[in-house]
Amino acid sequence: MPDHAPQSPEEWRRAIAETLGPCALPGYPTPNPLGLLQPAPPARGFLDLPSDSEISVEVVIVGGGPGGGSAALALTQAGVQTLLLEEGPARSHFRKNYAHTARYHMQEAGTMVARGSAMMPIAAGRGLGGSSLVNSALSFRPPRRVLDQWAADLDDPSLGFDALQPLYDEVSELVGVGITRAEISGENNDLIVRGIQALGLEGGLAPRGTPGCIGCGVCYFGCPSGGKGSTNLTYLPRAHALGLDIQAEVKVEGLIVENGVVRGVEAVAIHPDTGARGARLRVRAKHVVLSAGAVGTPRLLWHSGAAAALGAHTGEHLQVHPGSTIVAICDHEVEMWKGATQGAYFHHPDLPGVLPHTFSAPPEACLVAAGFLGDRWQEGLALLPRMCGMLLMVSDKGEGRVRAFGDGRADLVYTFADEDVDRIKRGLVEVARVLQAGGARDLYVPIHGVQMSQSPEALAKQLTDRTIKDFTLYAAHPMGTCRMSRDIGSGVVDRSGRAHGLRNLWLADASVFPSSLGVNPQLSTMVMGTRVGRALAASG
C-alpha cells in the first residue's frame, strides 16, 4: 500500500478520477485533492543522528499530529524559526494489518489501557500526522452549548461558538471537509441513512476530511490512496515550504527548565523498527510547544518532573468519549468493510451529548464485536457478509487522570459516571431502532450477559442490569488533561495555550480542551493548534 499521497496531478487523476463526483448533500462543495493534498514533507530520522548533538531554534514543537502540525503552520506563516520533533517514523508505514499499524503508528504500540471502573484500552496515534494517519477523519464542529460554555468559563468571548466559526471554516477548507459522497459510501452507511430517514431523525452522511477518498474502508490502517486530509499531507508540507525543520524518530524525555523558565527539550533517537535507543539530541529554544496529545503531553510532564510546577490539574480531567457498538445481521449482503469508514451519523432529540455513527472495522473485529468466538467462529464467518454496524460515543461526565510509570509509559485511570453508563444503554437502544428501520434484523452487542436480541425493546430489557464491567470498552478521543483556565488554580494553560506555572511553555493539542467536546476532536484540535501557534507568534 502507498505510504504517501500521489506525487503529481497525473497520479491523482489516475487514482481517483472515477470516484470524484458531486457531494451527497447540497451546500458542501466537493473538495479538490489536486489543490489540497500535497506530498508528505521530507524529515530526518534515526540514521540522521549519528552522534549526540545540540541545536538552538526559536520554537521547538513536540508532536507532529493535528495540534503540532497546525501550530507549526501558524508559526512558519509568521516567519518564526520552528523545529518539529516526532517520535514516530519519518515515513508512514501503512499495511492492512492492525499489528503493523500498532507497531508503527500507535503510541506505546496500541497497548495503553486505563484501569478504574473497568479496563478500557485508549488509543492515540503517532508519526508525522499523528492520529490523523489512522482515524476516519470525521469532522464535526462542537455544539454551540459546548463552545459558549468555554467562553463563559474562561471569560473569553473569542472562544465562543460564533467567534470560532471563521477558524473552523479555515481549517475545514484546508483539510478538505465535505459530506461523504454517495458513490463511495457503501451499503453499511447507506443502510444507516435509510434508517435515519425512516425514523425522521437528524443525521445522514457525515462530514469527513477526506477530499480524495475512494471508499476502500481501511482508514484505521492508514489511507492507501493518500486521499485523506491528514496532517502530513496538509499542514506539514505547507509549513515545510515555509521553513519548518522536521526531525522524526526521536522521543522527547525531558524539559530543560532553568529558574522557572523552559529553555528547551532533551530527546533520544529511537530506531523505528527495533526500538533501539541511539544518539541524544538537546534542543535549546526560546519557546517549547507540547503537542503530544492528551495522553502524551501530561505523561511527558510527569515523567520529566515538570508537572508539579504546572499545578494540581496537570494530567487530571481525562475524558475520552466512551461508548459501545451494535453489530446486526441483514437479509442482504452489506460487506461492512467496504465504503467510507464511519460515513453516517444521527442525533436523537432525547439524547443530547450522544453521537451514534457508523461502526467500521476489519472483518475479524466485527466477529469479535458480535460475539462469534470459539465454536461460533464458523457461524460468524458465514454471516459476515450480511453484518452491518453502528457505534455510539457520549460526551462524558466521568473523568480520569494521566501519570507516568517509572519507565515513561502512560499510567491511566478512568472512572465512569453513572449518567454516562445510562446514556450508553439508551443510545444503544436507539441505534438498534435505526439499524432495524434501515433493514437489519438480529442485534448483537459486545456486552457480557446480553444475548442476541430481535427488537430494541428486547435489547433494552437485557441491558437493564448490566454494569460497566460487563461492557467491552474502547476509547480513542483522550482530551482535557491540561485544560485551559483563568488561573493555575483551575487548570494548566491560559486562554492562549501558555502554561500558567512555567514561562515559555505552550500546549497545543486536545489536552487543553476545557471540557468534553461531544464530537470527534480532530477538527477542534487543529483549530486550537492554529490559535495557539498564532498567539505564540504574536507574543514576540
Side-chain angles (χ1 to χ4, degrees):
M1 297 170 69
D3 62 2
H4 59 278
Q7 301 293 298
S8 69
E10 291 73 22
E11 290 183 26
W12 268 119
R13 291 187 182 98
R14 286 196 298 270
I16 61 176
E18 294 182 359
T19 61
L20 286 175
C23 287
L25 295 178
Y28 285 82
T30 301
N32 175 14
L34 300 180
L36 293 175
L37 305 182
Q38 301 180 8
R44 297 190 304 280
F46 179 87
L47 297 178
D48 298 303
L49 283 174
S51 60
D52 294 354
S53 59
E54 179 172 330
I55 58 176
S56 296
V57 295
E58 289 186 63
V59 174
V60 61
I61 298 174
V62 179
S70 53
L73 181 57
L75 288 162
T76 53
Q77 285 174 331
V80 179
Q81 181 197 23
T82 306
L83 168 66
L84 187 144
L85 304 179
E86 168 58 46
E87 179 183 353
R91 288 178 60 84
S92 301
H93 289 258
F94 295 158
R95 299 288 185 274
K96 292 176 68 173
N97 176 291
Y98 180 75
H100 186 93
T101 299
R103 177 183 180 185
Y104 287 104
H105 289 301
M106 304 296 288
Q107 291 184 27
E108 299 188 19
T111 63
M112 297 190 301
V113 178
R115 62 191 189 280
S117 300
M119 302 297 284
M120 178 169 59
I122 296 180
R126 70 171 193 151
L128 292 175
S131 294
S132 71
L133 294 173
V134 290
N135 65 16
S136 61
L138 277 170
S139 298
F140 295 104
R141 302 186 185 196
R144 175 179 291 274
R145 58 180 171 76
V146 171
L147 296 181
D148 285 350
Q149 190 63 53
W150 288 6
D153 290 345
L154 277 77
D155 191 24
D156 185 351
S158 72
L159 286 168
F161 182 87
D162 291 330
L164 282 178
Q165 292 316 295
L167 193 47
Y168 274 98
D169 290 343
E170 176 186 333
V171 169
S172 297
E173 181 178 359
L174 193 150
V175 300
V177 175
I179 295 297
T180 302
R181 301 190 311 279
E183 66 271 24
I184 61 163
S185 58
E187 175 60 13
N188 196 29
N189 290 313
D190 292 347
L191 180 148
I192 291 168
V193 171
R194 292 197 298 270
I196 292 167
Q197 293 173 342
L199 297 178
L201 295 170
E202 175 191 348
L205 292 174
R208 300 166 67 238
T210 55
C213 180
I214 60 174
C216 54
V218 292
C219 290
Y220 34 78
F221 292 138
C223 182
S225 70
K228 181 163 56 173
S230 49
T231 307
N232 60 317
L233 304 184
T234 53
Y235 282 98
L236 292 181
R238 288 168 170 82
H240 180 265
L242 294 172
L244 176 67
D245 190 16
I246 303 174
Q247 173 67 61
E249 299 168 10
V250 292
K251 182 176 183 178
V252 175
E253 297 185 324
L255 303 183
I256 303 170
V257 182
E258 300 170 354
N259 300 318
V261 181
V262 177
R263 301 293 190 185
V265 300
E266 295 181 331
V268 61
I270 302 293
H271 195 285
D273 298 320
T274 67
R277 296 167 67 89
R280 298 201 64 84
L281 173 65
R282 184 178 176 90
V283 180
R284 299 194 69 88
K286 294 180 180 178
H287 296 276
V288 173
V289 180
L290 299 186
S291 300
V295 172
T297 288
R299 172 182 57 198
L300 171 59
L301 292 170
W302 277 98
H303 184 59
S304 67
L310 295 173
H313 293 272
T314 308
E316 297 295 325
H317 315 296
L318 171 67
Q319 296 184 299
V320 297
H321 288 158
S324 192
T325 301
I326 292 183
V327 172
I329 309 300
C330 302
D331 291 325
H332 64 285
E333 285 198 355
V334 175
E335 295 182 315
M336 61 187 294
W337 54 89
K338 293 183 179 180
T341 58
Q342 298 191 318
Y345 76 102
F346 73 88
H347 293 298
H348 193 282
D350 297 332
L351 292 172
V354 177
L355 179 59
H357 48 285
T358 309
F359 174 60
S360 299
E364 62 272 20
C366 300
L367 293 176
V368 171
F372 289 103
L373 304 172
D375 59 4
R376 299 195 64 197
W377 186 256
Q378 291 295 327
E379 176 189 358
L381 285 175
L383 293 172
L384 188 59
R386 295 190 284 120
M387 289 183 183
C388 64
M390 198 167 196
L391 59 81
L392 65 86
M393 66 185 199
V394 301
S395 182
D396 34 343
K397 307 297 184 183
E399 289 189 353
R401 57 101 171 135
V402 179
R403 297 289 187 271
F405 289 115
D407 62 358
R409 292 180 302 114
D411 177 8
L412 306 174
V413 174
Y414 185 87
T415 302
F416 275 82
D418 291 341
E419 177 184 346
D420 293 343
V421 180
D422 178 65
R423 287 190 297 159
I424 292 172
K425 291 179 180 180
R426 292 167 57 202
L428 285 172
V429 175
E430 299 308 322
V431 166
R433 297 190 202 283
V434 166
L435 291 176
Q436 289 198 332
R441 182 166 42 82
D442 300 337
L443 306 165
Y444 295 86
V445 294
I447 302 172
H448 178 70
V450 178
Q451 304 301 314
M452 184 271 289
S453 302
Q454 293 185 321
S455 71
E457 293 75 21
L459 175 62
K461 185 175 181 180
Q462 290 198 73
L463 290 174
T464 301
D465 296 329
R466 297 298 93 191
T467 72
I468 196 61
K469 292 184 183 298
D470 295 316
F471 284 67
T472 300
L473 298 167
Y474 176 82
H477 297 167
M479 57 194 147
T481 49
C482 296
R483 68 187 186 187
M484 286 184 171
S485 65
R486 300 190 193 192
D487 53 54
I488 199 170
S490 53
V492 177
V493 299
D494 68 13
R495 303 163 180 86
S496 299
R498 188 194 321 243
H500 291 301
L502 288 171
R503 290 171 54 198
N504 296 356
L505 177 64
W506 303 70
L507 274 59
D509 55 30
S511 71
V512 305
F513 294 167
S515 69
S516 179
L517 282 178
V519 297
N520 302 64
Q522 175 174 293
L523 203 64
S524 295
T525 303
M526 292 171 173
V527 165
M528 280 298 178
T530 303
R531 195 172 182 275
V532 172
R534 289 175 179 171
L536 171 51
S539 71

